[in-house]
Amino acid sequence: MHYAKILGSGSYLPAKRVSNDDLAQFVDTSDEWIQSRTGIQFRHFAAENELTSDLAVIAAQRALEAANLTGDDIDLIIVATATPDMQFPSTATIVQQKLGISGCAAFDVQAVCAGFMYALTTANAYIKSGMAKTVLVIGAETFSHILDWQDRTTCVLFGDGAGAVVLGASDEAGIIHSKLQADGSYLDLLKVPAHIAGGQICGNPYVEMDGPGVFKFAVKTLAKVAEDVLAEAGYEAKQVDWLVPHQANKRIIDSTVKHLGLSMDKVIVTVQDHGNTSAASIPLALDVGIRSGNIQRGQTLLLEGIGGGFAWGAVLVKY
Ligand code: COA
């Protein structure tokens, strides 16, 4: 067994769909501003009592169904999230309990919008080393719960959702190569600085972002990591059937596409419908690409994401 292969995928969006015009009812913004700066038209928001694990469980069930497996087949659950249900335990163990399974290992990965790249790479390492055979990898977020509705520079950008894949050990090609990187010196560009101490929330519990700073860093870094992962695997961009990028901003996606010399018809774009769903964005886009019939078995996919930390990564996959 030399590879970790994607056996099935699933996703879930909460019922409440919010347009830019809906947001403009209570935020000083406009559909024109949001669309022209980001490409976002809609996003979904979880209900107040709907937690990240609730979204994650539905995406996971759909991925298991697509893989023709049940929870009992899973020997590791990894949840990438920056909006966990609780301080502890991990959202992964809560998902495990809600799926009605027990005994397998379960933990969270925290790399914000790059979380799914980190989780997928970790799952790949478990499978390749023989430590796991079948891994449920989930990216799930309820960012609407940590948005400051008074801060129009951040609250219009994010949405809630979940995406999942089941990765299984296989002789057939699956994950070909992956590259993860981080640089903590960019901490201040994007953060939720709060922590809990003495029964109090200390610091701002909402998203803080230097938008233009993030934009510049993301454009440069995503182009480089995409190029690096291809070069290290001995691939050229023209061999990529589908780019499945992090869905933060259409202009960032356009810039990566231009840099790689790809055409837009080889790119899965969902940012207009989902907004930035952080760790959920790549698996959500992947599932949309698969279920729409665009992504076919045997095709080569390049996944890439970047988020607070800063942390970033890219994964080259034979689907
Ligand atoms: N609606 C209307 N106007 C807004 C607004 C909103 N939601 N948010 C900001 N503005 C205003 C600003 O106040 C500013 O007005 P001023 O010129 O009168 O001061 C103006 O729009 C331009 O602001 P600026 O921040 O320079 O806009 P921008 O073109 O850089 O776009 C972002 C802002 C956030 C869309 C852009 O920087 C971006 O996409 N950054 C990356 C964010 C991201 O992807 N984060 C997640 C990474 S994982």
Side-chain angles (χ1 to χ4, degrees):
M1 299 284 183
H2 290 107
Y3 292 102
K5 191 172 175 61
I6 296 176
L7 304 179
S9 70
S11 60
Y12 175 72
L13 291 161
K16 188 174 175 190
R17 186 171 184 252
V18 178
S19 70
N20 293 339
D21 285 333
D22 294 334
L23 270 188
Q25 304 288 313
F26 61 99
V27 178
D28 180 16
T29 191
S30 67
D31 177 50
E32 194 281 323
W33 192 95
I34 300 171
Q35 277 212 53
S36 63
R37 295 310 209 282
T38 70
I40 298 167
Q41 297 175 37
F42 299 94
R43 74 286 290 143
H44 290 247
F45 288 153
E48 220 167 287
N49 61 354
E50 202 175 14
L51 300 180
T52 295
S53 66
D54 297 316
L55 278 50
V57 163
I58 301 174
Q61 284 164 335
R62 290 176 179 172
L64 284 166
E65 201 182 320
N68 248 324
L69 295 172
T70 72
D72 294 329
D73 298 307
I74 298 299
D75 48 20
L76 170 64
I77 300 171
I78 307 178
V79 175
T81 188
T83 48
D85 287 17
M86 301 182 190
Q87 178 84 8
F88 73 77
S90 69
T91 302
T93 56
I94 300 170
V95 167
Q96 184 191 44
Q97 182 259 332
K98 287 183 178 173
L99 286 172
I101 54 178
S102 62
C104 70
F107 59 83
D108 288 0
V109 161
Q110 160 58 297
V112 205
C113 301
F116 193 73
M117 296 296 83
Y118 273 68
L120 203 57
T121 301
T122 305
N124 181 43
Y126 265 80
I127 288 174
K128 287 188 96 162
S129 68
M131 282 176 68
K133 277 208 171 77
T134 316
V135 185
L136 187 52
V137 190
I138 306 170
E141 302 279 15
T142 45
F143 251 64
S144 65
H145 294 171
I146 55 165
L147 294 175
D148 176 357
W149 302 108
Q150 308 305 316
D151 178 7
R152 66 179 184 170
T153 67
T154 54
C155 72
V156 302
L157 303 176
F158 295 91
D160 302 337
V165 299
V166 178
L167 271 192
S170 171
D171 290 326
E172 277 176 41
I175 293 179
I176 299 163
H177 188 56
S178 101
K179 188 178 179 85
L180 300 179
Q181 291 181 281
D183 187 342
S185 62
Y186 290 93
L187 162 77
D188 285 331
L189 283 185
L190 178 55
K191 62 185 174 186
V192 176
H195 69 279
I196 299 172
Q200 307 289 324
I201 297 170
C202 308
N204 182 10
Y206 297 117
V207 174
E208 291 178 4
M209 182 176 70
D210 165 3
V214 169
F215 192 94
K216 269 187 239 136
F217 189 77
V219 162
K220 186 179 67 180
T221 309
L222 284 172
K224 176 83 168 79
V225 76
E227 234 172 44
D228 286 354
V229 87
L230 287 169
E232 288 170 15
Y235 273 65
E236 288 181 41
K238 63 177 184 228
Q239 291 172 275
V240 172
D241 293 299
W242 291 102
L243 175 69
V244 189
H246 175 43
Q247 310 283 324
N249 183 313
K250 179 66 167 49
R251 290 188 299 144
I252 296 178
I253 295 173
D254 289 345
S255 159
T256 309
V257 169
K258 195 171 160 205
H259 188 89
L260 291 176
L262 294 175
S263 65
M264 270 322 281
D265 58 5
K266 286 185 153 199
V267 188
I268 304 292
V269 183
T270 55
V271 68
Q272 69 283 359
D273 294 322
H274 301 166
N276 181 352
T277 57
S278 184
S281 110
I282 296 171
L284 257 167
L286 179 67
D287 191 50
V288 167
I290 290 170
R291 285 177 193 257
S292 64
N294 283 321
I295 295 176
Q296 300 279 328
R297 283 284 174 198
Q299 288 187 324
T300 302
L301 318 179
L302 178 59
L303 281 46
E304 59 157 18
I306 186 162
F310 256 74
W312 61 96
V315 180
L316 189 66
V317 185
K318 185 74 82 181
Y319 175 61

